[in-house]
Amino acid sequence: MANGRLFALDLAAATATTLYQSATQTATLTLSLVNRNTWAVLARVALAAAATPTDAEWIEYDVYLPPSGVLERTAIVVGPGQYLVARMSAAGVSAVGFGFEE
């Protein structure tokens, strides 16, 4: 059972990226997206049944992330077989997840 930082990624532009996925455990985590750019970025986050989310699975969609801005989402529960996925409109965004697996 892991706890603390579960992942830390530098996200690519216009690509759905799996942030976290567990085949057998449930995780409760906080997601922090940090825009390291001097320009705004649009952020999407999904809790999905597969690595490619459907329209119904987005929990954040084109949220404005200002220059040097942070988007934080707490108490995300990712069950076995689920995927936490993010997509940014530009590169230069860090994604960090911290929490625990049960």
Side-chain angles (χ1 to χ4, degrees):
M1 174 167 59
N3 62 49
R5 190 177 78 183
L6 301 176
F7 59 85
L9 300 165
D10 183 13
L11 300 177
T15 304
T17 302
T18 298
L19 305 177
Y20 181 83
Q21 192 270 333
S22 174
T24 60
Q25 296 182 317
T26 297
T28 302
L29 59 91
T30 295
L31 171 63
S32 181
L33 298 175
V34 179
N35 182 3
R36 302 186 319 269
N37 296 302
T38 56
W39 57 85
V41 173
L42 297 179
R44 298 179 185 181
V45 178
L47 186 56
T52 304
T54 65
D55 287 345
E57 294 176 314
W58 296 102
I59 59 175
E60 301 284 354
Y61 196 86
D62 286 349
V63 173
Y64 180 83
L65 193 51
S68 302
V70 177
L71 170 66
E72 190 167 273
R73 185 61 111 91
T74 62
I76 299 173
V77 179
V78 184
Q82 292 181 325
Y83 293 75
L84 183 62
V85 179
R87 184 182 189 282
M88 302 300 117
S89 64
V93 177
S94 300
V96 179
F98 46 95
F100 58 91
E101 296 175 331
E102 304 180 59

